Amino acid sequence: MHDRFVLLKRERDLTDRDRLLLDGWVRKYELLGAAYRLKESFFAIYEAGGAPQALSRFEQWRKSIPAEL
């Protein structure tokens, strides 16, 4: 029941158990895996070195969103 919270965690903060749970979820639900990867790549925008790099990362992120999401 509480396994869903693993989807809210950042990948860098996952424990070994969390990684196993996440792997199970994304194998069973491919679209959920795509959404998780999009969430993680969105956070990379905030880790950019400045506004131009952040804007570039945002554009790359936006273009990577599949139509079904």
Side-chain angles (χ1 to χ4, degrees):
M1 180 170 146
H2 296 286
D3 291 352
R4 69 183 187 275
F5 292 111
V6 75
L7 298 168
L8 300 175
K9 280 188 171 182
R10 294 290 309 273
E11 187 173 24
R12 65 180 182 215
D13 297 329
L14 294 175
T15 65
D16 289 339
R17 180 181 182 281
D18 292 338
R19 288 181 196 284
L20 286 172
L21 289 171
L22 179 64
D23 186 56
W25 280 103
V26 300
R27 283 179 190 248
K28 190 171 183 177
Y29 303 101
E30 188 176 316
L31 199 56
L32 186 62
Y36 184 80
R37 288 186 296 278
L38 280 170
K39 175 196 69 120
E40 285 299 305
S41 61
F42 183 80
F43 280 112
I45 297 168
Y46 289 95
E47 296 165 353
Q53 186 182 26
L55 184 57
S56 173
R57 287 183 182 188
F58 172 76
E59 288 301 323
Q60 289 173 353
W61 176 82
R62 190 177 58 80
K63 290 176 185 176
S64 73
I65 300 172
E68 63 270 11
L69 289 181

